[in-house]
Amino acid sequence: MVGTPQRRVAVFGAGYIGLVTGVCLAEFGHRVVFRDIDPEKIRILRSGEVPIYEPGLSEMMVRNKERLTFTLDLREALDGAEIAYVCVDTPPSASGDADLSRVWAVVKSLEGAAHLRAVVVKSTVPVGTGTRVRAVLDAAGLAHVGYASNPEFTAEGTAVNDFLHPDRVVVGASDEATARLISDLHEGVDGPVVMMDVRSAEMVKLASNALLATKISFINEIATLCEKTGADVEEVAHAVGLDHRLGRHFLRPGIGWGGSCFPKDSEALRQLANNTGYHLQLLSAVIEVNNLQKRRAIQRLKDELGTLVGARVALLGLTFKPGTDDMREAPSTVLATRLLAEGAEVRCWDPMARTAEAEPWTSTSRHATPESAVDGADAAIVVTEWPQLKEVDWAQAAWAMRRPVFYDGRNLLDPAGMRALGFTYISVGRP
Ligand code: UDX
């Protein structure tokens, strides 16, 4: 980018967030070295492949390959690095608080980095983490190195676009020079940079995700009430969303939110509050409504089928949302576990899900097409709104099912049309 100094950036953690951040920074002209502790990931990246599915990322990586390096070696990562980006994961610990062990491992490894000017944490961390990082840096002889919190707001499936065209870039820094350095690093981004103190920046991330999750749980509760009163939640959400003070986004009712951020971050925020002695009542209810949403689906099937013992249930879609291969905290895992516990037989279909050892039920029951998954089934559940499901010949599928009970957990299909085909069609909040 003309006029912007090209920086040398070391990105720690080559997961979804690290890769998108680093590759986009390379697109702006910076030199980026990724350091990860997973040899397989580094091997794949060095061979020019991308270990995750994220639209646009692969092409951008190829375009900027001269500026991108991948390493397992800490010294190589820090050699000449001016800015260290911490993008490691912060999974929930046994107590529900974020587990920061990977963040600490990175921060402690920075000692002796001669050219370092700033450490930036992008990982989602509890408010107050920056102060603790500052103390570790000071103790490691890095008191001259600046610190910034630069939370990410990118959503999977649109992460590259979200990075390049954000609603805002949040930079929380303790000193002006660091704030300016990180702000300048983002020159090329099509959106405002909002600067603030470190703690506020840490809170923006947690509060944003909690409010988004709140909107979804809110509309899901209204959907339940619509079912009881005969209103149509789709009409309600549409008209509610037209009020510019409320906004139309994140008012899609469904089987519940999942993914790598909402479940983990909402629980982490709840625990952060608990640790201060304050109980976030609203957020606790938001989480509870989301848990219920999945269990209600199972109960509805039980009501229709009489019993789930021996019932064949097809899960259509496994990922936590379409357009990704990510299974983290996907509602499908809760549904499958509950169905198996009730004595049902689970079969499934998904065009992209990266299923693992953690989901043993997918290994024997995964079908190549939705048609084959529902063939002979007693019930089907739309768990993920993959567009392919709109193309299925549902008339044929209704015949092929043992009992055509259909729970549309994403309100993807037309209720009247599905009923006309002979389905016992249930959806979320629609009459
Ligand atoms: C989210 C945030 O959007 C992003 O800003 C943050 O950085 C990470 O967490 P992501 O998890 O990738 O991103 O997915 P998102 O598109 O936000 O969807 C999250 C979940 O909510 C999905 O399970 C989705 O199906 C569900 N959802 C979303 C709804 O049920 N209804 C909606 O109206 C919107």
Side-chain angles (χ1 to χ4, degrees):
M1 193 114 317
V2 186
T4 315
Q6 291 180 358
R7 298 292 177 200
R8 294 174 72 99
V9 182
V11 174
F12 291 85
Y16 277 95
I17 303 307
L19 278 176
V20 171
T21 303
V23 172
C24 286
L25 289 178
E27 177 87 351
F28 297 157
H30 306 294
R31 301 193 75 82
V32 179
V33 50
F34 292 90
R35 198 261 174 157
D36 202 286
I37 53 170
D38 180 350
E40 181 58 9
K41 210 179 258 178
I42 294 299
R43 188 193 63 72
I44 294 172
L45 287 163
R46 277 186 177 155
S47 74
E49 300 287 312
V50 186
I52 54 164
Y53 173 75
E54 192 57 52
L57 187 60
S58 176
E59 296 84 334
M60 195 181 266
M61 221 173 96
V62 170
R63 208 161 49 236
N64 294 287
K65 66 175 190 296
E66 303 303 322
R67 284 189 286 275
L68 297 169
T69 326
F70 307 95
T71 185
L72 289 165
D73 187 78
L74 182 64
R75 289 299 129 204
E76 190 184 336
L78 290 175
D79 186 23
E82 299 165 277
I83 300 165
Y85 253 91
V86 184
C87 300
V88 292
D89 53 337
T90 51
S93 66
S95 62
D97 300 274
D99 173 0
L100 299 185
S101 55
R102 295 178 176 97
V103 172
W104 297 127
V106 173
V107 173
K108 285 176 184 159
S109 72
L110 300 176
E111 191 169 356
H115 298 93
L116 210 55
R117 295 177 57 188
V119 175
V120 187
V121 168
K122 209 168 208 13
S123 307
T124 303
V125 293
V127 179
T129 303
T131 310
R132 294 173 59 199
V133 174
R134 179 74 270 162
V136 175
L137 293 176
D138 291 352
L142 296 172
H144 59 285
V145 172
Y147 177 80
S149 160
N150 172 217
E152 58 88 18
F153 302 102
T154 55
E156 282 178 31
T158 54
V160 171
N161 191 59
D162 293 347
F163 191 97
L164 300 177
H165 308 281
D167 291 332
R168 76 303 203 193
V169 174
V170 171
V171 177
S174 45
D175 65 279
E176 187 116 14
T178 305
R180 182 62 46 211
L181 178 70
I182 304 309
S183 170
D184 288 351
L185 192 71
H186 287 83
E187 198 161 322
V189 157
D190 166 32
V193 177
V194 184
M195 300 202 209
M196 60 190 71
D197 64 281
V198 173
R199 281 172 191 259
S200 301
E202 291 165 341
M203 185 62 97
V204 172
K205 164 75 190 199
L206 294 167
S208 299
N209 275 353
L211 186 50
L212 290 170
T214 301
K215 284 189 85 174
I216 304 170
S217 280
F218 180 81
I219 203 66
N220 280 339
E221 264 207 318
I222 294 296
T224 304
L225 198 53
C226 284
E227 285 169 20
K228 294 186 186 301
T229 55
D232 182 339
V233 72
E234 295 292 342
E235 302 288 352
V236 175
H238 172 67
V240 166
L242 288 176
D243 187 327
H244 73 277
R245 295 168 304 173
L246 302 171
R248 65 193 166 84
H249 298 287
F250 281 73
L251 286 178
R252 268 185 293 114
I255 212 154
W257 37 267
S260 60
C261 285
F262 287 176
K264 168 175 82 69
D265 295 353
S266 53
E267 186 56 25
L269 182 58
R270 206 169 71 86
Q271 296 306 343
L272 181 72
N274 287 347
N275 294 343
T276 69
Y278 181 66
H279 175 216
L280 283 178
Q281 301 175 58
L282 191 53
L283 186 60
S284 300
V286 165
I287 295 169
E288 179 64 12
V289 167
N290 195 53
N291 291 337
L292 262 175
Q293 205 63 6
K294 290 163 267 190
R295 286 161 197 271
R296 285 183 64 243
I298 304 291
Q299 188 56 44
R300 286 299 297 274
L301 287 193
K302 218 170 168 179
D303 292 345
E304 288 301 330
L305 296 172
T307 174
L308 287 171
V309 178
R312 291 186 198 146
V313 182
L315 299 182
L316 303 176
L318 297 174
T319 52
F320 80 96
K321 66 175 186 180
T324 177
D325 57 0
D326 199 340
M327 284 292 291
R328 282 179 287 178
E329 301 288 337
S332 64
T333 56
V334 175
L335 294 174
T337 312
R338 282 292 309 124
L339 286 165
L340 291 171
E342 292 282 342
E345 178 196 315
V346 175
R347 42 208 9 243
C348 56
W349 164 83
D350 191 285
M352 206 173 262
R354 204 156 23 95
T355 50
E357 314 74 55
E359 298 103 26
W361 48 273
T362 59
S363 62
T364 49
S365 62
R366 192 152 167 190
H367 289 248
T369 63
E371 289 87 349
S372 143
V374 301
D375 192 356
D378 295 293
I381 311 181
V382 174
V383 190
T384 315
E385 64 275 36
W386 285 104
Q388 291 89 322
L389 291 173
K390 287 196 156 178
E391 308 307 321
V392 170
D393 180 348
W394 288 114
Q396 182 66 35
W399 278 105
M401 286 176 75
R402 198 156 69 178
R403 289 186 63 183
V405 175
F406 200 97
Y407 190 96
D408 187 347
R410 297 292 179 184
N411 290 359
L412 185 72
L413 303 164
D414 172 49
M418 290 298 275
R419 287 189 189 117
L421 297 177
F423 282 104
T424 303
Y425 178 84
I426 309 154
S427 57
V428 185
R430 296 191 292 182

